[in-house]
Amino acid sequence: MNDMTPVQTTLKDWETDQEVRWCPGCGDYAILKAVQRTLPQLNADPAKTVFVSGIGCSSRFPYYMESYGFHTIHGRAPAFVTGIKLANPDLDVWMVTGDGDGMSIGGNHTMHILRRNVDVQILLFNNEIYGLTKGQYSPTSREGTKSPTSPAGSVDRPAQPCAFALGSGARFVARGFDVSKNLPEVLKAAHAHKGAAFVEIFQNCIVYNKDVFNDFAAPKGAEDQQLWLADGEPMLFAKGTKGLARDVENMTLKVVDVTDGDWEAAGVMVHDTKNRALAHMLVELPFGPYPMALGVIYDDPRPAYDAVVAEDLAKAREGKTPNLAALLAKGQTWTVDGTAQDPV
């Protein structure tokens, strides 16, 4: 960021006087606290920070952050975010959306903010259900999900947000979950990335889709099913007893056992956040046979859209003196002398 003078804040400085109104036990509470704990560590300035949301349970977020905020319209938060960054590239902008808001009505807008690579942090809360509108299945709901609109079970094949992001040209893709102690580190990595940083956060909807992520995201007991990725580190899980290796025959990944901590002998791969092909494989691994890939999956920066636009505007202004009167008089013009004549 340009002109982002470090300031000292605490979690309390980011809390508002608004009553936080989510259902008791909702995972959104944990995500809110994770963000409020992380911002002081980033030396973020509330006066230069903006949270933007669309419509949905997650979209209450700006009300609960002591910063600037916009609660916009369904699926259109990316358009507002793009305008904010173009108007003032120095602002630190976070976009909060959900699997319905960002992957259904807003899917087109999400695609374009990613391919343009606008310098913002995009947090997509994925609870695999429409919570605000009382439990209909969403674009990410699993096959067989029973809901008011699918009483016999959904037959839709679910969208995969991280695969969608990669396919849209995202240069940063990460995953976390609501109650994870590692979520602040994922948020820090997203903030450090210059360009559109896409973070999918699995979030427990305690009313309409309770504990759907417990196999890998339960507060306790699911650690063995979590593959926390770190650039340059071996892809190990289950307390280092298992890892991911290349399956050369099938051009994919496979789970291997690791004996006595010798991951190299087991053929475990080292994670490379700049390897786009590897990122595609990791986000599409079927859970069950494989662990859930979490952390920073892909991080390969390129120039951000708003920075490139600012450079183009600066070049266009070189050697020119602003003159609004000359601009208005350019081309065909008419002069009205102001002396009204009575009609004959």
Side-chain angles (χ1 to χ4, degrees):
M1 296 289 173
N2 297 324
D3 190 32
M4 292 295 285
T5 305
V7 297
Q8 298 298 316
T9 61
T10 67
L11 181 151
K12 293 293 184 183
D13 293 315
W14 294 93
E15 295 179 335
T16 70
D17 60 359
Q18 301 296 299
E19 178 188 359
V20 182
R21 300 184 64 184
W22 285 309
C23 300
C26 175
D28 286 353
Y29 287 98
I31 300 171
L32 175 64
K33 286 302 177 187
V35 172
Q36 290 172 333
R37 286 197 305 270
T38 301
L39 289 169
Q41 298 175 44
L42 300 174
N43 294 319
D45 184 350
K48 297 179 180 177
T49 302
V50 186
F51 279 84
V52 183
S53 66
I55 296 295
C57 296
S58 64
S59 295
R60 296 178 182 269
F61 213 88
Y63 295 107
Y64 309 141
M65 297 300 302
E66 189 58 48
S67 66
Y68 289 101
F70 292 86
H71 187 183
T72 69
I73 52 180
H74 207 183
R76 273 63 177 182
F80 287 83
V81 163
T82 301
I84 291 166
K85 285 297 292 187
L86 290 178
N88 190 347
D90 291 339
L91 292 175
D92 189 9
V93 182
W94 298 72
M95 188 184 109
V96 179
T97 185
D99 48 303
D101 183 61
M103 296 297 296
S104 183
I105 190 170
N108 179 53
H109 291 269
T110 303
M111 176 184 72
H112 291 301
I113 197 172
L114 292 172
R115 73 167 180 82
R116 283 177 172 145
N117 199 36
V118 182
D119 187 20
V120 299
Q121 295 76 239
I122 301 168
L123 310 183
L124 186 142
F125 298 9
N126 183 8
N127 56 21
E128 295 188 359
I129 206 75
Y130 278 109
L132 187 65
T133 49
K134 312 308 181 198
Q136 300 89 342
Y137 72 92
S138 83
T140 60
S141 295
R142 303 174 194 188
E143 292 179 67
T145 297
K146 292 186 177 180
S147 75
T149 51
S150 57
S154 170
V155 297
D156 282 9
R157 183 181 180 189
Q160 299 183 58
C162 286
F164 173 88
L166 284 169
S168 298
R171 309 298 297 189
F172 180 101
V173 175
R175 275 195 190 130
F177 60 90
D178 47 16
V179 296
S180 170
K181 64 181 181 181
N182 296 328
L183 183 56
E185 294 305 313
V186 175
L187 298 174
K188 289 178 191 177
H191 187 266
H193 178 88
K194 299 306 176 186
F198 182 88
V199 183
E200 178 184 15
I201 305 174
F202 297 109
Q203 176 254 319
N204 186 27
C205 176
I206 198 152
V207 175
Y208 296 110
N209 214 16
K210 185 180 179 182
D211 299 337
V212 71
F213 303 118
N214 261 12
D215 287 346
F216 66 87
K220 294 181 180 179
E223 293 82 2
D224 286 356
Q225 298 302 314
Q226 300 168 12
L227 171 60
W228 283 99
L229 299 160
D231 190 41
E233 297 294 327
M235 297 194 292
L236 296 168
F237 63 102
K239 300 181 179 65
T241 62
K242 294 182 182 295
L244 292 185
R246 287 188 181 88
D247 185 340
V248 178
E249 183 178 348
N250 296 307
M251 297 294 289
T252 185
L253 302 173
K254 62 181 178 181
V255 175
V256 295
D257 294 319
V258 177
T259 304
D260 298 327
D262 193 351
W263 58 268
E264 290 179 291
V268 174
M269 292 180 65
V270 170
H271 185 45
D272 178 5
T273 55
K274 288 183 168 55
N275 188 328
R276 193 173 185 84
L278 176 61
H280 275 284
M281 286 190 283
L282 287 168
V283 300
E284 295 191 18
L285 289 176
F287 179 73
Y290 294 90
M292 179 58 67
L294 299 163
V296 179
I297 297 167
Y298 183 64
D299 184 1
D300 188 13
R302 65 170 181 169
Y305 177 75
D306 43 293
V308 174
V309 170
E311 289 175 7
D312 286 347
L313 290 174
K315 289 178 182 178
R317 295 189 186 106
E318 287 179 1
K320 298 177 182 177
T321 302
N323 189 327
L324 181 59
L327 178 63
L328 294 175
K330 186 177 180 181
Q332 291 184 319
T333 60
W334 293 264
T335 301
V336 179
D337 62 15
T339 58
Q341 298 291 329
D342 290 332
V344 178

